[in-house]
Amino acid sequence: MSPSLLALALLLGGTPPKAPPPFTAAAVRTAEEPGEIEREAEAVAALAGELSSQGKEFSEIFQAICARSAGAPGPALAFKAQFGGLMLWTERGGRPKLLGREDWGLHFIYGGWISAFFGLEEALSTGYEKERRDSASAGNAFDLGDLAVTYFGAHWAERALADPAGFPAPWADGARSLETLPPLTLGKLPAGALPTPAESASVEAWVRSSL
C-alpha cells in the first residue's frame, strides 16, 4: 500500500491498522534507523499506556512524551518516533481526548504521524482528501474542525522535526499545552459542500493560533 493510501485508510477507518505497525511503513535513511524508531515508538506507547492507566489526560500524556523526546540523545528521531508510538497506543486501546473529543485526538495524532513519516504536504493533502470524501458520502459532510486538528498535528510534527531543540521546548516544559488550545468552533459544512476560500482561511487561522 502506498503512503498516500495507507494514510488515507487510517483517517477514513478511524483506527490504525493492526499490522504492520504504522511507523515501519516509512522510508528509512540508514540501516540503523528502523530499529531505533521502533524501539523509541514502543517506549512511547508504553509510557502513554502507563500514564493513561494513572488517569492522566491526553494533554498531560503528550507533555510527558514531549519531555522524553526533548531529552533524548537524538531528539529529531525521538520526535518522529513519538507519533509512531502514539499511533501504537491508540491501536492498543488508548483514547486521546483533545478539546473534549476523542476523534480530534486521533486526527491530531494521525496528522502528526503522516507528516513525520511522509512529509507535511502528504499530511495536508490526505487530511483534505479524507474530508472531501466525507462530503460525498451519504449522511456525512466536510468537517472543518476535523481538518483543522489534522492540519495542526501535521504542522506540529513538521516544526518539531525541523527544530527539535526549539519548537517543542514549551510543549515539553508545560508552557504550552493541548489543554489550552484556542476554542475550535468550526463545524461541518452542508452536505456535498466544499470549503470556500474564507472557510479554508479560518482553518488556517486556527492552526496558526494553536501553534
Side-chain angles (χ1 to χ4, degrees), residues 73-99:
L77 184 145
F79 278 111
K80 181 175 182 177
Q82 81 174 31
F83 282 95
L86 287 169
M87 290 282 286
L88 282 179
W89 173 58
T90 63
E91 178 183 299
R92 296 167 182 173
R95 303 176 67 176
K97 185 175 288 187
L98 183 66
L99 295 170

Side-chain angles (χ1 to χ4, degrees), residues 10-14 96 98-112 114 123-135 139-155 181 183-189 195 199-200 202-204 206-207 210:
L10 287 169
L11 284 174
L12 290 174
L98 183 66
L99 295 170
R101 288 177 49 172
E102 288 180 13
D103 61 328
W104 280 351
L106 292 171
H107 273 274
F108 169 72
I109 292 171
Y110 295 170
I114 298 167
L124 300 182
S125 62
T126 300
Y128 187 92
E129 176 63 11
K130 186 270 181 188
E131 298 305 323
R132 188 197 67 77
R133 292 195 181 196
D134 281 353
S135 74
N140 212 336
F142 194 109
D143 193 317
L144 296 173
D146 287 0
L147 186 67
V149 177
T150 303
Y151 279 15
F152 170 54
H155 281 285
L181 294 178
L184 182 52
T185 57
L186 303 173
K188 291 187 177 183
L189 299 178
E199 288 165 336
S200 294
S202 68
V203 169
E204 294 167 3
W206 184 86
V207 173
S210 299

